[in-house]
Short mmCIF file of all heavy atoms in Angstrom, two decimals:
data_model
loop_
_atom_site.label_atom_id
_atom_site.label_comp_id
_atom_site.label_asym_id
_atom_site.label_seq_id
_atom_site.Cartn_x
_atom_site.Cartn_y
_atom_site.Cartn_z
N HIS A 467 94.57 91.28 124.85
CA HIS A 467 96.01 90.99 124.82
C HIS A 467 96.29 89.62 124.20
O HIS A 467 97.10 89.47 123.30
CB HIS A 467 96.57 91.09 126.22
CG HIS A 467 97.95 90.48 126.41
ND1 HIS A 467 99.06 91.02 125.81
CD2 HIS A 467 98.36 89.39 127.09
CE1 HIS A 467 100.12 90.26 126.16
NE2 HIS A 467 99.72 89.26 126.91
N HIS A 499 97.36 81.89 126.15
CA HIS A 499 98.64 81.69 126.88
C HIS A 499 98.55 82.13 128.34
O HIS A 499 99.32 81.62 129.18
CB HIS A 499 99.80 82.39 126.17
CG HIS A 499 99.78 83.88 126.28
ND1 HIS A 499 99.03 84.67 125.42
CD2 HIS A 499 100.43 84.75 127.11
CE1 HIS A 499 99.22 85.93 125.72
NE2 HIS A 499 100.06 86.00 126.75
N ASP A 500 97.64 83.04 128.69
CA ASP A 500 97.56 83.49 130.09
C ASP A 500 96.37 82.86 130.80
O ASP A 500 95.90 83.41 131.81
CB ASP A 500 97.47 85.02 130.14
CG ASP A 500 98.86 85.65 130.02
OD1 ASP A 500 99.86 84.97 130.30
OD2 ASP A 500 98.93 86.84 129.62
N LYS A 503 95.92 82.68 134.55
CA LYS A 503 95.62 83.86 135.39
C LYS A 503 94.23 83.78 136.00
O LYS A 503 93.90 84.54 136.89
CB LYS A 503 95.77 85.15 134.57
CG LYS A 503 97.23 85.53 134.31
CD LYS A 503 97.35 86.88 133.67
CE LYS A 503 98.81 87.24 133.48
NZ LYS A 503 98.98 88.43 132.68
N HIS A 528 100.98 81.49 137.10
CA HIS A 528 99.96 81.36 136.07
C HIS A 528 100.41 80.42 134.94
O HIS A 528 99.59 79.79 134.31
CB HIS A 528 99.54 82.73 135.52
CG HIS A 528 100.47 83.31 134.52
ND1 HIS A 528 101.62 84.02 134.88
CD2 HIS A 528 100.45 83.34 133.17
CE1 HIS A 528 102.23 84.45 133.81
NE2 HIS A 528 101.55 84.04 132.73
N VAL A 529 101.74 80.28 134.73
CA VAL A 529 102.17 79.41 133.62
C VAL A 529 101.92 77.93 133.97
O VAL A 529 101.44 77.18 133.14
CB VAL A 529 103.66 79.66 133.23
CG1 VAL A 529 103.78 80.97 132.47
CG2 VAL A 529 104.56 79.64 134.42
N HIS A 552 106.11 80.04 128.02
CA HIS A 552 106.15 81.34 127.37
C HIS A 552 106.86 82.43 128.16
O HIS A 552 107.12 83.51 127.61
CB HIS A 552 104.75 81.77 126.88
CG HIS A 552 103.87 82.36 127.96
ND1 HIS A 552 103.04 81.59 128.75
CD2 HIS A 552 103.66 83.65 128.39
CE1 HIS A 552 102.37 82.36 129.59
NE2 HIS A 552 102.73 83.62 129.38
N HIS A 553 107.23 82.15 129.41
CA HIS A 553 108.04 83.12 130.16
C HIS A 553 109.49 82.61 130.36
O HIS A 553 110.24 83.22 131.12
CB HIS A 553 107.40 83.44 131.52
CG HIS A 553 106.25 84.41 131.42
ND1 HIS A 553 106.42 85.72 131.13
CD2 HIS A 553 104.91 84.18 131.49
CE1 HIS A 553 105.21 86.31 131.08
NE2 HIS A 553 104.27 85.38 131.29
N TYR A 561 111.02 81.79 133.76
CA TYR A 561 110.35 80.86 134.67
C TYR A 561 109.32 80.07 133.90
O TYR A 561 109.00 80.43 132.79
CB TYR A 561 109.69 81.65 135.84
CG TYR A 561 108.65 82.65 135.47
CD1 TYR A 561 107.31 82.26 135.37
CD2 TYR A 561 108.92 83.99 135.24
CE1 TYR A 561 106.30 83.19 135.03
CE2 TYR A 561 107.95 84.92 134.89
CZ TYR A 561 106.64 84.52 134.81
OH TYR A 561 105.69 85.43 134.47
N ASP A 581 104.55 88.13 122.97
CA ASP A 581 103.95 88.53 124.24
C ASP A 581 104.62 89.84 124.74
O ASP A 581 103.93 90.81 125.12
CB ASP A 581 104.16 87.39 125.26
CG ASP A 581 103.43 87.58 126.56
OD1 ASP A 581 102.46 88.36 126.58
OD2 ASP A 581 103.83 86.96 127.58
FE1 LIG B 1329 102.05 85.24 130.68
#
Side-chain angles (χ1 to χ4, degrees):
H467 165 68
H499 72 277
D500 278 338
K503 284 188 178 171
H528 80 278
V529 286
H552 80 271
H553 282 287
Y561 62 88
D581 189 21

